Amino acid sequence: MTFELYSEAVLTRDLPEHNLRRGDVVVVIDHHVARDGEEGYSIEVFNATGDTIAVTTVPESHLEPLRSDEVLCARVLQPAA
């Protein structure tokens, strides 16, 4: 799946090093290909008030598009351990 730049996507797995969880909504900010040929994306994650809380890279398999049968929700951001 190819994601448009600046579109929203959903994480398909937890990223504990960034205190992110499966289901968190992210914004795709760049597309790249790793040396091994794997497609990947740089993503930015915002809190509920619009402040950036993480910028990182993930392989394409860590993202899925938003669907019309999903509901957005809020969760308390726990500090990374």
Side-chain angles (χ1 to χ4, degrees), residues 35-78:
R35 290 186 183 141
D36 65 3
E38 183 176 14
E39 300 282 326
Y41 292 91
S42 295
I43 58 171
E44 187 168 5
V45 187
F46 300 92
N47 66 13
T49 60
D51 299 316
T52 299
I53 57 172
V55 176
T56 190
T57 58
V58 294
E60 186 175 62
S61 62
H62 283 44
L63 300 174
E64 63 184 22
L66 289 170
R67 299 186 328 241
S68 63
D69 65 342
E70 295 175 316
V71 174
L72 299 179
C73 65
R75 69 175 177 88
V76 176
L77 184 65
Q78 300 297 322

Side-chain angles (χ1 to χ4, degrees), residues 9-31:
V10 177
L11 287 175
T12 61
R13 60 190 67 191
D14 293 347
L15 299 177
E17 65 275 18
H18 296 287
N19 199 20
L20 301 175
R21 294 187 190 159
R22 181 180 191 272
D24 286 349
V25 176
V26 305
V27 176
V28 174
I29 57 173
D30 199 11
H31 173 260

